[in-house]
């Protein structure tokens, strides 16, 4: 690694620093304690300060853009990507899933750090068995030099909440195919996909959501570990200061997650401290109010069209004047699924619907019935994105490797009711690790 950092320093001697703030997700060369390392821009502000993740170690720093250097285009293949992927692997411990609550965050923090770093002081190695690999994190069973499972040592220091399962959705008994229904559009994802509420359930849905928001706010609690994709969570909405049910779609390195509000269909990006695990009482008692629909728009004479939903006036007219749909098919959760949503299985009822375009809405004609209803739902929205930081798989599932912990992310979040403010005190859930084989090869 020393030779590589020396190479990066040489690059900084021939390449000028940035003359403006680099974009988020840019790869850069960044200084740290008089040396230079590879970094990734996680965030920036109007003052030109950038939050940089050092991809080979896992630590972060706030650095002015004037001290950051671009990686020359002709050097990108050699200094990034598959030629030299990030050395540090972001890891989470098997057994400490999202929802583990420490009885005392400070004690948990202290014990975890002692377990991870005492071996470094004694020049002994930790070992890890690779259980699963996801795009942005590797799940490992971590053992100390004496073969004790670290997670098993920590589990008695708190309680775990098992992942919740969503209740059955609307079902064809409520919305049978072949009929017209009065509805309220809750969210337009695209010209092809919208989320609706049956008008007959609107009042009940509002009452349920208000009740659940109040109940979830009371139970908003401390969490260990970052949320996992596909996990149901309580999400605190910054816009209206209420709590809603959501599912995690994606987790980011800046301690935020993209979530979908399952009772409405819209998507938002929220910080970890605005999220909390849902328990079964919050998801099994009431099904998700929003029904996802694949939409075919038609004119009065039955010609298929695509509304220009990028036009705000079109969106406003559709929301205001679309009150009825025809359900041509209903797909019950699990019949032909599970469906794929951003790379993970998602069980939900879906419907094929036909909607007559409201008068006065501009649209593009569709030739040849391009929006004709297919016989089955395709696996839509499957993520084709590369793993974060171009971290290529370097270890086999089930393999046991020696590791060195180089950084700990403090992500125990203490929330005080509806204020959603993290209290003082830390906690540990994930660590960046390097394998001894990799470090010796650099």
């Amino acid at each position: 690694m020393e030779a590589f950092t020396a190479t990066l320093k040489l690059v900084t001697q021939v390449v000028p620093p940035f003359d403006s703030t680099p974009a988020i997700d840019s790869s850069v060369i960044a200084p740290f304690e008089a040396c230079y390392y590879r970094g990734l821009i996680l965030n920036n502000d109007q003052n030109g300060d950038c939050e940089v993740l050092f991809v080979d170690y896992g630590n972060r720093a706030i650095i002015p853009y004037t001290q950051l250097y671009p990686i020359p285009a002709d050097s990108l293949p050699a200094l990034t990507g598959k030629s030299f992927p990030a050395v540090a692997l972001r890891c989470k411990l098997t057994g400490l899933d999202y929802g583990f609550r420490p009885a005392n965050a400070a004690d948990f923090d202290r014990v975890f750090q002692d377990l991870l770093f005492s071996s470094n002081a004694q020049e002994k190695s930790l070992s890890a068995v690779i259980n699963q690999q996801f795009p942005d994190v590797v799940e490992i069973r971590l053992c100390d030099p004496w073969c004790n499972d670290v997670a098993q040592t920590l589990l008695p220091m708190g309680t775990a909440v098992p992942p919740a399962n969503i209740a059955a959705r609307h079902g064809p008994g409520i919305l049978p195919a072949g009929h017209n229904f009065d509805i309220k559009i809750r969210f337009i994802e695209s010209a092809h996909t919208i989320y609706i509420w049956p008008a007959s359930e609107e009042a009940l849905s509002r009452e349920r959501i208000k009740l659940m928001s109040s109940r979830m706010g009371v139970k908003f609690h401390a969490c260990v570990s970052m949320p996992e994709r596909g996990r149901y969570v309580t999400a605190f909405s910054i816009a209206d200061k209420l709590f809603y049910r959501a599912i995690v779609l994606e987790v980011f390195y800046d301690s935020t997650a993209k979530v979908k509000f399952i009772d409405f269909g819209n998507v938002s990006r929220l910080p970890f401290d605005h999220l909390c695990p849902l328990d079964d009482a919050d998801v099994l008692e009431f099904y998700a109010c929003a029904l996802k629909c694949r939409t075919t728009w038609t004119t009065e004479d039955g010609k298929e069209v695509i509304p220009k939903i990028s036009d705000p006036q079109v969106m406003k007219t559709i929301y205001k004047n679309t009150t009825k749909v025809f359900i041509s098919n209903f797909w019950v959760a699990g019949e032909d699924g599970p469906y794929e949503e951003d790379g993970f299985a998602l069980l939900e009822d879906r419907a094929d619907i036909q909607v007559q375009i409201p008068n006065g809405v501009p649209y593009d004609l569709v030739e040849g019935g391009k929006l004709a209803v297919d016989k089955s739902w395709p696996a839509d929205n499957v993520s084709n994105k590369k793993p974060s930081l171009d971290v290529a798989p370097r270890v086999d599932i089930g393999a046991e490797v020696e590791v060195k912990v180089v950084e700990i992310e403090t992500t125990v979040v203490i929330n005080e009711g509806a204020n959603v403010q993290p209290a003082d005190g830390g906690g540990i859930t994930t660590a960046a690790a390097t394998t001894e084989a990799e470090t010796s090869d650099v």
Side-chain angles (χ1 to χ4, degrees):
M1 200 63 198
E2 290 79 6
F4 186 67
T5 56
T7 299
L8 294 177
K9 186 174 183 179
L10 290 175
V11 172
T12 65
Q13 295 173 0
V14 296
V15 174
F18 283 98
D19 57 8
S20 61
T21 306
I24 294 174
D25 292 334
S26 298
S27 295
V28 300
I29 300 174
F32 189 82
E33 295 183 351
C35 294
Y36 289 90
Y37 304 92
R38 295 187 298 178
L40 184 78
I41 302 298
L42 296 181
N43 214 334
N44 51 43
D45 62 24
Q46 59 185 5
N47 297 322
D49 290 330
C50 300
E51 182 182 6
V52 179
L53 169 70
F54 292 92
V55 300
D56 297 308
Y57 293 89
N59 59 310
R60 309 176 189 199
I62 303 298
I63 303 174
Y65 75 84
T66 53
Q67 298 179 23
L68 302 175
Y69 294 82
I71 298 178
D74 57 355
S75 301
L76 273 173
L79 298 182
T80 61
K82 293 183 178 180
S83 297
F84 192 10
V87 175
L89 289 176
R90 194 186 200 193
C91 303
K92 69 182 293 292
L93 301 189
T94 298
L96 286 180
D97 293 330
Y98 187 59
F100 177 82
R101 310 174 189 178
N104 185 296
D107 288 346
F108 182 90
D109 187 9
R110 175 182 52 78
V111 171
F112 198 8
Q113 294 209 40
D114 287 345
L115 287 169
L116 296 185
F117 290 126
S118 61
S119 59
N120 291 353
Q122 300 178 41
E123 297 185 351
K124 296 181 180 293
S125 297
L126 299 170
S127 63
V129 176
I130 312 300
N131 287 339
Q132 295 187 73
Q133 180 153 1
F134 304 100
D136 48 11
V137 68
V138 175
E139 184 177 298
I140 63 174
R141 181 169 64 85
L142 188 66
C143 295
D144 65 19
W146 302 273
C147 300
N148 299 311
D149 189 324
V150 171
Q152 293 302 315
T153 303
L154 295 168
L155 282 174
M157 301 185 67
T159 57
V161 177
N165 296 308
I166 191 67
R169 303 261 177 143
H170 293 84
I174 299 175
L175 298 170
H179 296 273
N180 288 298
F181 287 93
D182 294 327
I183 58 96
K184 181 176 181 64
I185 294 179
R186 296 308 319 179
F187 180 64
I188 300 178
E189 183 176 289
S190 69
H192 313 281
T193 304
I194 68 174
Y195 288 82
I196 65 172
W197 282 2
S200 60
E201 298 185 357
E202 182 177 352
L204 179 60
S205 294
R206 292 187 184 280
E207 182 181 340
R208 286 175 171 174
I209 290 170
K210 183 177 180 180
L211 172 64
M212 287 188 294
S213 177
S214 175
R215 190 167 64 186
M216 290 186 294
V218 172
K219 294 190 294 184
F220 215 75
H221 54 68
C223 308
V224 171
S225 180
M226 60 182 158
E228 297 123 357
R229 295 195 308 160
R231 186 69 180 260
Y232 290 104
V233 295
T234 296
F236 177 72
S237 171
I238 301 172
D240 56 17
K241 312 299 182 186
L242 296 176
F243 297 87
Y244 298 98
R245 300 184 298 176
I247 186 171
V248 177
L249 300 181
E250 191 172 358
V251 178
F252 301 96
Y253 270 83
D254 61 353
S255 298
T256 63
K258 182 171 73 173
V259 302
K260 176 189 287 185
F261 294 95
I262 65 174
D263 293 307
F264 297 89
N266 58 310
V267 173
S268 183
R269 185 165 173 172
L270 298 174
F272 287 170
D273 62 352
H274 284 53
L275 305 175
C276 170
L278 275 175
D279 56 36
D280 283 346
D282 294 318
V283 288
L284 290 178
E285 186 174 347
F286 303 127
Y287 54 74
C289 298
L291 176 67
K292 185 175 185 178
C293 301
R294 182 172 52 183
T295 310
T296 299
W297 301 88
T298 64
T299 59
E300 288 184 359
D301 58 1
K303 187 177 296 183
E304 293 182 11
V305 296
I306 301 178
K308 296 178 179 178
I309 64 170
S310 59
D311 185 329
Q313 188 60 39
V314 171
M315 292 283 285
K316 182 178 179 180
T317 304
I318 289 176
Y319 271 113
K320 181 179 179 180
N321 298 324
T322 302
T323 59
K324 191 179 291 291
V325 301
F326 176 80
I327 296 184
S328 56
N329 214 331
F330 199 100
W331 305 94
V332 178
E335 269 191 355
D336 297 310
Y339 307 111
E340 293 290 317
E341 182 84 37
D342 283 330
F344 59 85
L346 181 64
L347 288 172
E348 63 178 344
D349 286 350
R350 303 185 181 193
D352 293 323
I353 66 173
Q354 294 176 4
V355 185
Q356 184 174 305
I357 198 81
N359 291 329
V361 171
Y363 52 81
D364 294 327
L365 289 177
V366 179
E367 298 179 358
K370 294 179 182 178
L371 288 184
V373 175
D374 296 331
K375 293 183 178 180
S376 63
W377 277 86
D380 56 340
N381 296 328
V382 177
S383 175
N384 294 315
K385 292 179 292 186
K386 294 183 294 183
S388 301
L389 310 182
D390 290 326
V391 178
R394 298 178 304 229
V395 287
D396 296 326
I397 303 301
E400 183 173 352
V401 295
E402 290 187 348
V403 298
K404 179 180 180 181
V405 176
V406 291
E407 181 70 16
I408 296 176
E409 290 186 10
T410 303
T411 54
V412 170
V413 180
I414 310 297
N415 295 302
E416 300 295 338
N419 292 326
V420 199
Q421 295 295 327
D424 292 334
I428 313 298
T429 62
T430 58
T434 58
T435 66
E436 289 297 323
E438 288 154 0
T439 53
S440 61
D441 290 339
V442 174

